[in-house]
PDB file of all heavy atoms in Angstrom:
ATOM      1  N   ARG N 116     -19.687  -7.188  -4.755  1.00  0.00           N
ATOM      2  CA  ARG N 116     -20.332  -7.287  -6.045  1.00  0.00           C
ATOM      3  C   ARG N 116     -19.375  -6.836  -7.153  1.00  0.00           C
ATOM      4  O   ARG N 116     -19.282  -7.466  -8.199  1.00  0.00           O
ATOM      5  CB  ARG N 116     -21.601  -6.426  -6.058  1.00  0.00           C
ATOM      6  CG  ARG N 116     -22.662  -6.878  -7.034  1.00  0.00           C
ATOM      7  CD  ARG N 116     -23.974  -6.199  -6.747  1.00  0.00           C
ATOM      8  NE  ARG N 116     -23.823  -4.764  -6.780  1.00  0.00           N
ATOM      9  CZ  ARG N 116     -23.974  -4.015  -7.893  1.00  0.00           C
ATOM     10  NH1 ARG N 116     -24.284  -4.575  -9.046  1.00  0.00           N
ATOM     11  NH2 ARG N 116     -23.828  -2.704  -7.847  1.00  0.00           N
ATOM     12  N   ARG N 117     -18.657  -5.758  -6.891  1.00  0.00           N
ATOM     13  CA  ARG N 117     -17.718  -5.218  -7.873  1.00  0.00           C
ATOM     14  C   ARG N 117     -16.262  -5.443  -7.484  1.00  0.00           C
ATOM     15  O   ARG N 117     -15.413  -5.649  -8.325  1.00  0.00           O
ATOM     16  CB  ARG N 117     -17.926  -3.690  -7.997  1.00  0.00           C
ATOM     17  CG  ARG N 117     -19.208  -3.293  -8.669  1.00  0.00           C
ATOM     18  CD  ARG N 117     -19.158  -3.566 -10.153  1.00  0.00           C
ATOM     19  NE  ARG N 117     -20.397  -3.161 -10.803  1.00  0.00           N
ATOM     20  CZ  ARG N 117     -20.683  -3.448 -12.056  1.00  0.00           C
ATOM     21  NH1 ARG N 117     -19.864  -4.157 -12.801  1.00  0.00           N
ATOM     22  NH2 ARG N 117     -21.821  -3.043 -12.582  1.00  0.00           N
ATOM     23  N   LEU N 118     -15.998  -5.343  -6.185  1.00  0.00           N
ATOM     24  CA  LEU N 118     -14.622  -5.401  -5.700  1.00  0.00           C
ATOM     25  C   LEU N 118     -14.395  -6.668  -4.895  1.00  0.00           C
ATOM     26  O   LEU N 118     -15.243  -7.063  -4.101  1.00  0.00           O
ATOM     27  CB  LEU N 118     -14.332  -4.178  -4.826  1.00  0.00           C
ATOM     28  CG  LEU N 118     -14.418  -2.829  -5.537  1.00  0.00           C
ATOM     29  CD1 LEU N 118     -14.264  -1.693  -4.531  1.00  0.00           C
ATOM     30  CD2 LEU N 118     -13.342  -2.719  -6.618  1.00  0.00           C
ATOM     31  N   VAL N 119     -13.236  -7.272  -5.115  1.00  0.00           N
ATOM     32  CA  VAL N 119     -12.864  -8.463  -4.354  1.00  0.00           C
ATOM     33  C   VAL N 119     -11.501  -8.197  -3.724  1.00  0.00           C
ATOM     34  O   VAL N 119     -10.572  -7.735  -4.401  1.00  0.00           O
ATOM     35  CB  VAL N 119     -12.807  -9.713  -5.252  1.00  0.00           C
ATOM     36  CG1 VAL N 119     -12.494 -10.962  -4.429  1.00  0.00           C
ATOM     37  CG2 VAL N 119     -14.130  -9.892  -5.994  1.00  0.00           C
ATOM     38  N   PHE N 120     -11.384  -8.470  -2.438  1.00  0.00           N
ATOM     39  CA  PHE N 120     -10.156  -8.220  -1.689  1.00  0.00           C
ATOM     40  C   PHE N 120      -9.441  -9.541  -1.437  1.00  0.00           C
ATOM     41  O   PHE N 120     -10.076 -10.530  -1.061  1.00  0.00           O
ATOM     42  CB  PHE N 120     -10.487  -7.551  -0.358  1.00  0.00           C
ATOM     43  CG  PHE N 120     -11.121  -6.194  -0.514  1.00  0.00           C
ATOM     44  CD1 PHE N 120     -12.501  -6.058  -0.637  1.00  0.00           C
ATOM     45  CD2 PHE N 120     -10.330  -5.058  -0.569  1.00  0.00           C
ATOM     46  CE1 PHE N 120     -13.091  -4.801  -0.791  1.00  0.00           C
ATOM     47  CE2 PHE N 120     -10.916  -3.797  -0.716  1.00  0.00           C
ATOM     48  CZ  PHE N 120     -12.292  -3.667  -0.842  1.00  0.00           C
ATOM     49  N   THR N 121      -8.146  -9.507  -1.618  1.00  0.00           N
ATOM     50  CA  THR N 121      -7.361 -10.739  -1.467  1.00  0.00           C
ATOM     51  C   THR N 121      -6.100 -10.482  -0.653  1.00  0.00           C
ATOM     52  O   THR N 121      -5.658  -9.347  -0.520  1.00  0.00           O
ATOM     53  CB  THR N 121      -6.884 -11.259  -2.847  1.00  0.00           C
ATOM     54  OG1 THR N 121      -5.996 -10.289  -3.417  1.00  0.00           O
ATOM     55  CG2 THR N 121      -8.040 -11.499  -3.797  1.00  0.00           C
ATOM     56  N   GLU N 122      -5.541 -11.564  -0.144  1.00  0.00           N
ATOM     57  CA  GLU N 122      -4.186 -11.477   0.403  1.00  0.00           C
ATOM     58  C   GLU N 122      -3.346 -12.583  -0.199  1.00  0.00           C
ATOM     59  O   GLU N 122      -3.870 -13.592  -0.686  1.00  0.00           O
ATOM     60  CB  GLU N 122      -4.179 -11.525   1.927  1.00  0.00           C
ATOM     61  CG  GLU N 122      -4.774 -12.750   2.533  1.00  0.00           C
ATOM     62  CD  GLU N 122      -4.814 -12.694   4.062  1.00  0.00           C
ATOM     63  OE1 GLU N 122      -4.883 -11.603   4.639  1.00  0.00           O
ATOM     64  OE2 GLU N 122      -4.796 -13.766   4.666  1.00  0.00           O
ATOM     65  N   GLY N 123      -2.038 -12.375  -0.197  1.00  0.00           N
ATOM     66  CA  GLY N 123      -1.150 -13.356  -0.794  1.00  0.00           C
ATOM     67  C   GLY N 123       0.166 -13.425  -0.053  1.00  0.00           C
ATOM     68  O   GLY N 123       0.610 -12.428   0.525  1.00  0.00           O
ATOM     69  N   ASN N 124       0.743 -14.601  -0.050  1.00  0.00           N
ATOM     70  CA  ASN N 124       2.067 -14.790   0.533  1.00  0.00           C
ATOM     71  C   ASN N 124       2.948 -15.507  -0.462  1.00  0.00           C
ATOM     72  O   ASN N 124       2.498 -16.436  -1.133  1.00  0.00           O
ATOM     73  CB  ASN N 124       1.992 -15.623   1.822  1.00  0.00           C
ATOM     74  CG  ASN N 124       1.423 -14.828   2.970  1.00  0.00           C
ATOM     75  OD1 ASN N 124       1.789 -13.668   3.181  1.00  0.00           O
ATOM     76  ND2 ASN N 124       0.515 -15.436   3.714  1.00  0.00           N
ATOM     77  N   VAL N 125       4.209 -15.068  -0.540  1.00  0.00           N
ATOM     78  CA  VAL N 125       5.182 -15.748  -1.389  1.00  0.00           C
ATOM     79  C   VAL N 125       6.258 -16.347  -0.488  1.00  0.00           C
ATOM     80  O   VAL N 125       6.798 -15.653   0.386  1.00  0.00           O
ATOM     81  CB  VAL N 125       5.803 -14.797  -2.428  1.00  0.00           C
ATOM     82  CG1 VAL N 125       6.888 -15.499  -3.236  1.00  0.00           C
ATOM     83  CG2 VAL N 125       4.715 -14.247  -3.359  1.00  0.00           C
ATOM     84  N   TYR N 126       6.546 -17.629  -0.708  1.00  0.00           N
ATOM     85  CA  TYR N 126       7.522 -18.351   0.095  1.00  0.00           C
ATOM     86  C   TYR N 126       8.677 -18.885  -0.764  1.00  0.00           C
ATOM     87  O   TYR N 126       8.464 -19.305  -1.894  1.00  0.00           O
ATOM     88  CB  TYR N 126       6.865 -19.574   0.750  1.00  0.00           C
ATOM     89  CG  TYR N 126       5.717 -19.246   1.666  1.00  0.00           C
ATOM     90  CD1 TYR N 126       4.410 -19.203   1.173  1.00  0.00           C
ATOM     91  CD2 TYR N 126       5.935 -18.965   3.002  1.00  0.00           C
ATOM     92  CE1 TYR N 126       3.346 -18.890   2.010  1.00  0.00           C
ATOM     93  CE2 TYR N 126       4.870 -18.655   3.844  1.00  0.00           C
ATOM     94  CZ  TYR N 126       3.588 -18.614   3.348  1.00  0.00           C
ATOM     95  OH  TYR N 126       2.543 -18.294   4.174  1.00  0.00           O
ATOM     96  N   ALA N 127       9.872 -18.868  -0.184  1.00  0.00           N
ATOM     97  CA  ALA N 127      10.995 -19.628  -0.745  1.00  0.00           C
ATOM     98  C   ALA N 127      11.329 -20.657   0.323  1.00  0.00           C
ATOM     99  O   ALA N 127      11.814 -20.283   1.398  1.00  0.00           O
ATOM    100  CB  ALA N 127      12.184 -18.719  -1.022  1.00  0.00           C
ATOM    101  N   GLY N 128      11.041 -21.938   0.055  1.00  0.00           N
ATOM    102  CA  GLY N 128      11.105 -22.947   1.130  1.00  0.00           C
ATOM    103  C   GLY N 128      10.074 -22.556   2.173  1.00  0.00           C
ATOM    104  O   GLY N 128       8.931 -22.260   1.848  1.00  0.00           O
ATOM    105  N   ASP N 129      10.484 -22.510   3.433  1.00  0.00           N
ATOM    106  CA  ASP N 129       9.533 -22.122   4.487  1.00  0.00           C
ATOM    107  C   ASP N 129       9.700 -20.656   4.902  1.00  0.00           C
ATOM    108  O   ASP N 129       9.126 -20.222   5.898  1.00  0.00           O
ATOM    109  CB  ASP N 129       9.664 -23.043   5.707  1.00  0.00           C
ATOM    110  CG  ASP N 129      11.083 -23.064   6.245  1.00  0.00           C
ATOM    111  OD1 ASP N 129      11.962 -22.391   5.648  1.00  0.00           O
ATOM    112  OD2 ASP N 129      11.329 -23.747   7.251  1.00  0.00           O
ATOM    113  N   LYS N 130      10.492 -19.913   4.139  1.00  0.00           N
ATOM    114  CA  LYS N 130      10.755 -18.503   4.441  1.00  0.00           C
ATOM    115  C   LYS N 130       9.726 -17.628   3.732  1.00  0.00           C
ATOM    116  O   LYS N 130       9.510 -17.778   2.537  1.00  0.00           O
ATOM    117  CB  LYS N 130      12.149 -18.145   3.918  1.00  0.00           C
ATOM    118  CG  LYS N 130      12.990 -17.357   4.870  1.00  0.00           C
ATOM    119  CD  LYS N 130      14.419 -17.195   4.375  1.00  0.00           C
ATOM    120  CE  LYS N 130      14.551 -17.102   2.851  1.00  0.00           C
ATOM    121  NZ  LYS N 130      15.959 -16.966   2.426  1.00  0.00           N
ATOM    122  N   LEU N 131       9.120 -16.700   4.469  1.00  0.00           N
ATOM    123  CA  LEU N 131       8.164 -15.768   3.871  1.00  0.00           C
ATOM    124  C   LEU N 131       8.942 -14.653   3.155  1.00  0.00           C
ATOM    125  O   LEU N 131       9.714 -13.929   3.764  1.00  0.00           O
ATOM    126  CB  LEU N 131       7.252 -15.185   4.960  1.00  0.00           C
ATOM    127  CG  LEU N 131       6.085 -14.306   4.523  1.00  0.00           C
ATOM    128  CD1 LEU N 131       5.212 -14.951   3.473  1.00  0.00           C
ATOM    129  CD2 LEU N 131       5.231 -13.905   5.736  1.00  0.00           C
TER     130      LEU N 131
END
Side-chain angles (χ1 to χ4, degrees):
Chain N
R116 206 166 57 90
R117 290 287 181 189
L118 297 174
V119 183
F120 297 88
T121 64
E122 59 184 28
N124 286 316
V125 176
Y126 300 91
D129 56 358
K130 225 172 33 181
L131 187 52

